[in-house]
Every structure is written in C-alpha cells, then in structure tokens.
Amino acid sequence: MLIHHPLRPTAGIAARIVAFGLTVVAGAITPAASPGETPAEKQQAGGPSVLVKADSNSPSETTGDETYLLRHKLNSNQKIRYEVTHVAKTKTRINGTEEIANVHTTSVRSWDVREVQPTEMTFDHQIESVSMTQKNGDQDEVRWDSVSGEQPPKIFSVVAEQIGKPLATVTINQKGDEIRRESHAGSKASLGMGALTLSLPAEPVSIGTKWTVPSEIQARTDDGLVKVIKIRQVYTLKKVKTGVATIDVKSETLTPITEESIKAQVVQQLSNGSIRFDIDNGYLLGKELNWDETVVGFQGAGSMMEYRARMTEELVANDTPTGGDTQSAKADSDAKQR
C-alpha cells in the first residue's frame, strides 16, 4: 500500500504535483473528490494485453525455445497476504523557496478468496494493518501505527476508518483481467503502482517476450482542465528459475507531453521495476518499483521538482490452512535464489 500525502500549498500546481489529497494505492483507498472535482490520479482500466515478438538477445537462465503459460490460480478460502513498503522524497523549488516532503509507509494487504470457478476467481481485497510516517517541510513529523491502539492523527483518519474492511470485491479471469468489481471504498487509482492484479499474456511466452497493456491516466492543466494521457505498460519475461518468473515492467507514454506542469504530475504515475511471479501456484511473489525523476520549469523558469521513491511488495506466510504451506515454501525458496 502506498500512502501519498500533499505538501503544504506553496503554490496551486506544486501542491497538486505531490498529491491530490491523501491517497492509498495498492490498498486502493482514496477520499472522494470534492463536488465537481475529478481526481488527477484517476487511472482508467487497461485493455487486453498485446503480445510482442521475443527478443532473441535477452539473457536467460533457461535454454532453447521453452515456453511458459502464465496464469493466475487461486483456491477457495485461500488468503494471500503481502507486506508493502513505500518510501518517497519529493522536493519542490519555486522562485527560491524550497520544500521537502518525506513519506514512509509499511502495510499488510490481503486477498481473501471467496469463490473459484473454472475460468473466474472472486476475492475481497482489504488492508489489515498500516504504519505511516510523514514530514512536510518544517512541520513536525507525524506518525501512526494501526496496531498501537492509539487514535490516528486527523490526516490519517480516512485510512484508519477502512482498515480491516473489504475495500473491493473483485472477479478476475486467469489472465488477471478484471471481469467485475464491486467497490466498497476508495478507487482504482494506481499512481504507477500497477493494477491490482498482474495482466498476463493470452499465449505461452518464451524468455524475452514482451506484452503490452494499454491504459489512461489524467492530469490537470494550469487552467484546471483535465487532460487524458494515454500510456501502456510494457512487460518483459526476463528469466525463469525453479518455477519463478522474473518480469520487468516499464510504462511508456503515448500521448505527447509538451507542458512541464503536466509532465511533473505524470512521472509519478508511471511504473519502472520488476515482478516475481510463481508459475506453479499462480500468484505474485514480489514486486519492486523505483522512481528517480527531475522536472525543471513545471511552474515557470524558477521552478523544479525532484521525486525519488521506492516501493516493494513481498508475499508473507499465509496463516490459513489452504495454500499456506505451499506459499511459505515457495517464498523461502525464491528468497534463497536472490
């Protein structure tokens, strides 16, 4: 889960660049927009994946033309839990005035599988716990841990109200495409964290094969209008070892961006990193995404934004009877490879 907090409003666009209100991503929690307001981080649901020819020069720990069918596989009454850590530093400078925002969040999210059909799987997605720290400029640091029993600071109250409750009931197919979603709280916003599920190719793939998933994100222009930016997520199967696939992911913008103010918003919503997927058991083992972006002139010649962030997501031991031992063993085995 990613907690994204706003800087103090030193200037309108500067505040929007860092965040448009308190947003929890991967947990998919976000407060409702003000009346008539469209959240700038809104990301539209992606379309079907498109297969791209394999790169024959891609390094591999496997040989030959072996192919792999990547599919999600869930079991009824199974619970899959992940620990998500997000660390971010955002620096803005406008006409000589500099401000720095630091955020550190660790959370545990889970999929509680309700029903499994031959071609569909339905699960409840929820946040079980969260520990949050933020510091904006020269303001005092704010901390809160949901397991402490203490009342949360006001800025974390939206998150606190939704911990332990289903955020959404989601039905996916074996490729990870969302068939249905009943949202109980929050939105689909992702801010570069990727969709709730990993989109997999329709056909078996070999090492070096790429597949793409189209998507859209939104940003605000200087005059307050919403601009739709078309992007695509490019996935590449880099290697397979002991049943674990390593997949690189990188976002590409398809819509030309000429305004630096738009670019400053968009760069935080793109993905760049790697994913580990358990081919045998059909679920995500881990993910790491990194951001290192600088935008000059987002609000005139005397302005600059630097955004440095890292997000990791790791499978944790399942404490339910179904699938727990298998998950723990695979996670331990995979950890020893790295």
Side-chain angles (χ1 to χ4, degrees):
M1 181 172 66
L2 164 64
I3 309 290
H4 214 144
H5 308 285
L7 287 175
R8 288 178 299 160
T10 53
I13 185 66
R16 294 201 302 272
I17 284 171
V18 181
F20 295 74
L22 179 62
T23 303
V24 181
V25 182
I29 305 175
T30 183
S34 301
E37 180 181 11
T38 302
E41 299 96 335
K42 181 180 179 183
Q43 178 160 332
Q44 308 296 332
S49 60
V50 178
L51 203 62
V52 182
K53 184 178 179 181
D55 179 2
S56 60
N57 296 319
S58 177
S60 165
E61 296 192 29
T62 60
T63 58
D65 298 324
E66 187 173 2
T67 60
Y68 305 90
L69 183 63
L70 307 179
R71 289 292 181 266
H72 291 275
K73 305 169 190 175
L74 301 177
N75 300 313
S76 295
N77 301 318
Q78 183 180 25
K79 177 175 282 190
I80 303 178
R81 302 164 67 238
Y82 296 94
E83 182 175 272
V84 184
T85 300
H86 172 247
V87 181
K89 178 180 180 180
T90 307
K91 179 192 294 185
T92 58
R93 183 181 301 128
I94 301 176
N95 297 326
T97 300
E98 183 176 284
E99 187 163 289
I100 297 175
N102 288 286
V103 174
H104 188 289
T105 303
T106 301
S107 64
V108 175
R109 71 179 182 93
S110 65
W111 290 6
D112 196 349
V113 183
R114 300 177 57 176
E115 183 180 9
V116 175
Q117 300 292 337
T119 60
E120 296 182 357
M121 296 153 276
T122 300
F123 60 88
D124 287 334
H125 176 227
Q126 71 177 29
I127 303 303
E128 297 186 356
S129 64
V130 61
S131 174
M132 298 177 285
T133 302
Q134 81 155 34
K135 181 172 174 55
N136 291 337
D138 56 5
Q139 296 180 4
D140 292 338
E141 184 177 75
V142 182
R143 293 175 174 265
W144 183 65
D145 191 328
S146 64
V147 302
S148 68
E150 299 176 355
Q151 288 295 315
K154 184 177 180 180
I155 195 169
F156 299 146
S157 60
V158 173
V159 180
E161 291 173 358
Q162 299 179 22
I163 290 175
K165 303 175 183 178
L167 303 177
T169 300
V170 182
T171 299
I172 62 172
N173 61 19
Q174 293 179 328
K175 295 196 295 93
D177 301 327
E178 280 194 20
I179 307 302
R180 292 179 297 278
R181 174 191 285 241
E182 180 184 357
S183 294
H184 308 300
S187 76
K188 295 182 180 180
S190 78
L191 288 180
M193 304 296 292
L196 186 58
T197 58
L198 171 64
S199 294
L200 300 172
E203 303 172 6
V205 292
S206 58
I207 303 301
T209 299
K210 299 178 185 289
W211 64 97
T212 64
V213 179
S215 186
E216 293 180 351
I217 56 180
Q218 296 181 355
R220 288 239 179 87
T221 63
D222 293 341
D223 54 7
L225 299 177
V226 174
K227 182 173 183 177
V228 176
I229 308 294
K230 293 184 180 298
I231 68 170
R232 65 180 180 183
Q233 308 294 346
V234 181
Y235 298 93
T236 306
L237 180 61
K238 300 299 290 185
K239 68 177 181 179
V240 174
K241 185 176 181 180
T242 61
V244 176
T246 298
I247 301 167
D248 283 358
V249 57
K250 185 175 181 61
S251 299
E252 294 181 349
T253 55
L254 304 178
T255 301
I257 301 175
T258 57
E259 305 94 335
E260 295 302 307
S261 60
I262 297 293
K263 181 180 179 181
Q265 298 170 63
V266 169
V267 294
Q268 299 180 64
Q269 304 182 56
L270 304 179
S271 301
N272 185 15
S274 63
I275 297 167
R276 289 175 291 112
F277 185 78
D278 185 334
I279 298 177
D280 298 328
N281 294 300
Y283 48 70
L284 183 78
L285 289 174
K287 178 193 298 185
E288 179 176 331
L289 301 175
N290 293 281
W291 294 261
D292 186 355
E293 304 289 346
T294 300
V295 180
V296 177
F298 71 90
Q299 194 174 10
S303 62
M304 180 191 72
M305 183 202 77
E306 295 179 358
Y307 182 64
R308 311 286 184 261
R310 181 172 182 263
M311 188 282 291
T312 60
E313 182 173 2
E314 292 293 333
L315 181 74
V316 296
N318 194 333
D319 53 6
T320 61
T322 304
D325 294 340
T326 303
Q327 290 180 27
S328 299
K330 177 66 75 171
D332 291 343
S333 174
D334 181 64
K336 293 176 182 178
Q337 296 177 32
R338 291 177 283 152

